[in-house]
Structure formats: C-alpha cells, structure tokens
Amino acid sequence: MGEQPSETEVEETAAEIVPPPPRSWENWQEFSKGLGALQISELRLYTDVDFVAEAYNFGPYSFLNALAHSRKDPGALRPGIVLRAEWHLMADMRVPMETNDDHYHGGDLFDELTALASLLLDARIMAGPVDREFRPGEDPMGRPRGYDASYLPVLPQSNQRPQLPYLTGSRDLRDLADLGSLPYLTPGAAAALIKAARLFQNALWVADTSPENAWLLLVSAIETSAAYWDSDKRTPEERFALSYGGVINMLKKAGVEELVPKMARAFKGVIGATSKFVGFLEAFSPQEPDKRPTFDKLDYSREHMTAAFNRIYALRSRALHAGVPFPYPMCIPPERFDEGPYGEVPGGLAASARGATWNRNDTPMLLHTFAYLARGALLAWWRTLVPGAVQGRPPAFSDRLTTFGQVCDRFRPFTPDPQQKTGVPDEAG
C-alpha cells in the first residue's frame, strides 16, 4: 500500500482547486474576443406575467418578447420570453478526480440567466428546454429541437390568495439593463450572485403552495450573498478571532498557536452566521416603500429591524435543525383594507393555529414583506460588485434588433478536435 498524504499535502491540494466561473459569465468573456459563435440556441422562458418591449444584445444573449397573453386565465403559466444565446465556449470533456462544487447551483447557463432575470424583474420565470438551434453549415433557418421536451416547468397552484400579490401584472424587459454588468464582475462575485438569484427565483416559484420553504430559500439567498460579502471584509483569521477569541487564547497557552489559521479555514463557513446575515440586511435592505398600509405596518426603525432579522434567522435555524417550520402567522396570505397596500406584518397581539401559539413579537413580518427586503438587498449588493469605472457606462443592450444579416455570418469555422477533447457544450445540445 502507498503512503497516505499528510494533512499539509491534503490542504495544499485543496487550496489549488479553483472553482470554475459561471458558464453564462465565461461565455460572455469568450464572446468579447470577437471570434464568432459556435452555435446559437433558443428556448422559451415560462412565466405567469406579461411583458412589454424587448432586450437584445446583452453580449451573446437576447430576451425576445413572445407576446404570450392568456385570455382565459391571466395568471396561467406560459412561454412569455424567448432567450436567444450564442455559444462561444468549447466544452471540456475531461472529468477531474477532485470534488469541486462550491460554485454548484443545480442549473446550467440558461438557468443562470433566467434566475438573474427573475431577480431583476421581480417575476416568476423558469427556463424551459431548447426549442431551436442554429449550427454552422446547417439549415440557415435553424432546426427545431424536442429532445428535452419533458423538462417543462410546472407552477404549483394554490386555492388561497397569493402570498406575493405584487408578482402579478406586467414587466418591461428593458428593466433587465443591470444584466449588462455581469461580465465586469469577478468570477467569484458572479458565482455568488447567481447562486443567490437561483434561491430567490425558487422562493418566488413555490411561495403560494409552500410558504415555509419559500422563507428558507429567501433566507438562504441572503446567507449566500452575506457569506461572500463578509469574506471580502475580513480574513478567516479575523472572523475566527471575533467568534472564538477564547479558543485562540487556549491554543496560545497550549503552545499550538500555529493551529489558528488551519482552524479558521476549517470554520470559515459557520463562523458568525447570524451576524453576517443581519449585517448584510442592515447594510443593503431597502427603505420602507412609498405606499404603506393603514394597519399592520412594519416598524422600519433600525432597532426593530435588527431584532426582526435576528428573529428570522433564529426561526430559520429551528426549521433546519429542530424541524419546527416558520410560524403559521408568517405564512398566511396578506390582507388589504380599502383597496390599499397589503399588510406587512401578522395582525393581532398573538395568534393560535394548528395546536401552536405565537406572540406577535415572535412573528416579525409576512413573507411578501421579507421578499421585498431580500430582493432590494440583493440588487443593492449586486451594484456594489460592479467596478466603479463601469458603473457610469450606459446599459450594454438595445431595445430593438439593430443588426441584420445571415445567421451564418455570426458563426466561426469550427471542427471538434478529438485529441483536445473539446466540442459543443452539453447545455447547447
């Protein structure tokens, strides 16, 4: 038997494993080289809202309005957007033997773009399968595809009032303008943003039928962003000292102070989770909305919001570790009075349901209120990730098709090289 690697060798090997950048980000970088596309894919994005306008040329991506209105049921799921994506990445068929999944979010390039669109537009949007492909040397009108037709999104239906009533109505695809900042982010920032957007997207999708899980997904979206944000502010050793100063003193007295950096790296994902969550929301959550309800208002004072954020994170921990779901009063659809804005917090001084009781102080806000705060915080944080030199530039997209010509003119000559094990990416078909 061979010798087992030492602890130092294992740590050095792990440190060399660099997470790959998000596919949508990496594809945009390749597009910027101006070499032409390997192929073009089109797929439908499913939603329950209507859209106006269009958004072309976000680098290799365009969002086309499918004009999918439902006369019978305005809230029905329908293919409202066609996403057109040019592929500039050559697929790497090699499979490394080391686990490398810190960047993993469970989706592909199309899911990344759809999640960012869902966050920017504040709408339920999910990617469907690829419908049409354009390849060099083939039919210039494209080829229809149906091999993934079974992967159609399904929106769970509820017979109650909506949990997030503001999600209905119409959206303007020109509001996707901030998507133009994606290629200017660092790979790590882009990965954290996309993971958070995916969680936010899934929270909106299940909110009406599973509000308890929607709460968990929204909290996780903030946690994901807060972890990256906090890692930019402090080193692992600094965070370890803040949370476990007594442990460091014990290690020093025992003469093993050299273990501090190793322990800091080992605990970097769990140190100060609550403080990171609360601190992120305090730094980025939006101000109170312009229109407020007459009754059941949320107290937006700093002291009250800090207590509310701490309570929400404690409820998240109970749900994950003790099997106690988010309180029923926080998971009921909001009410409105005199056709005004919806209530922001559970009503009454206390509530009882399904064999349990809750004091109002333990149920700080309703789901739609936290969704508003979470989305505002994520968008504000996103803007801080964009380099200052880029923030003043005009949006890198157009609201109408400005260039015409043969589709084949957008391709580059390409022949797969078996020795290099490269080819068209799996997501592209």
Side-chain angles (χ1 to χ4, degrees), residues 247-368:
V247 174
I248 292 178
N249 291 332
M250 291 171 59
L251 294 174
K252 290 180 178 179
K253 290 180 180 179
V256 288
E257 187 176 353
E258 68 276 5
L259 293 178
V260 171
K262 295 182 180 180
M263 294 185 68
R265 289 194 296 271
F267 282 85
K268 67 179 181 180
V270 297
I271 291 175
T274 302
S275 63
K276 285 185 284 188
F277 175 82
V278 174
F280 182 89
L281 286 172
E282 288 180 334
F284 296 112
S285 62
Q287 299 297 317
E288 61 184 82
D290 294 334
K291 296 181 179 180
R292 304 292 306 282
T294 304
F295 305 100
D296 298 338
K297 282 185 178 181
L298 176 66
D299 182 353
Y300 271 82
S301 67
R302 181 177 180 85
E303 180 181 1
H304 182 86
M305 294 298 281
T306 297
F309 296 147
N310 274 284
R311 178 58 182 163
I312 287 170
Y313 198 77
L315 291 171
R316 165 263 184 206
S317 298
R318 290 186 75 207
L320 290 179
H321 304 304
V324 181
F326 268 75
Y328 180 81
M330 299 173 67
C331 298
I332 58 176
E335 297 184 2
R336 63 194 308 191
F337 304 93
D338 300 326
E339 299 302 314
Y342 287 86
E344 299 167 341
V345 300
L349 299 178
S352 177
R354 300 179 180 178
T357 57
W358 298 270
N359 182 276
R360 181 170 182 170
N361 293 331
D362 293 323
T363 56
M365 65 185 71
L366 292 171
L367 178 61
H368 82 96

Side-chain angles (χ1 to χ4, degrees), residues 188-251:
L193 172 64
I194 286 170
K195 286 196 294 183
R198 287 273 290 161
L199 291 161
F200 180 86
Q201 172 196 35
N202 287 320
L204 300 191
W205 200 257
V206 304
D208 283 344
T209 54
S210 186
E212 297 89 351
N213 286 324
W215 268 108
L216 290 174
L217 289 165
L218 287 175
V219 172
S220 294
I222 298 301
E223 275 194 291
T224 300
S225 306
Y228 183 85
W229 168 71
D230 186 73
S231 67
D232 271 354
K233 295 173 55 182
R234 301 187 184 99
T235 66
E237 288 81 0
E238 289 172 337
R239 292 197 301 275
F240 189 70
L242 286 173
S243 298
Y244 294 100
V247 174
I248 292 178
N249 291 332
M250 291 171 59
L251 294 174

Side-chain angles (χ1 to χ4, degrees), residues 88-150:
H88 297 261
L89 290 175
M90 293 185 182
D92 189 347
M93 306 301 180
R94 296 167 296 182
V95 180
M97 298 304 294
E98 299 87 1
T99 298
N100 186 359
D101 63 356
D102 283 349
H103 61 289
Y104 180 70
H105 55 72
D108 56 22
L109 176 149
F110 305 125
D111 295 311
E112 293 176 2
L113 295 167
T114 307
L116 293 173
S118 178
L119 175 61
L120 286 169
L121 297 175
D122 199 16
R124 282 185 280 250
I125 310 174
M126 282 286 179
V130 171
D131 296 313
R132 183 174 292 273
E133 293 174 347
F134 301 85
R135 295 176 183 250
E138 296 186 2
D139 189 339
M141 303 297 288
R143 294 284 299 174
R145 294 295 183 224
Y147 41 69
D148 282 338
S150 60

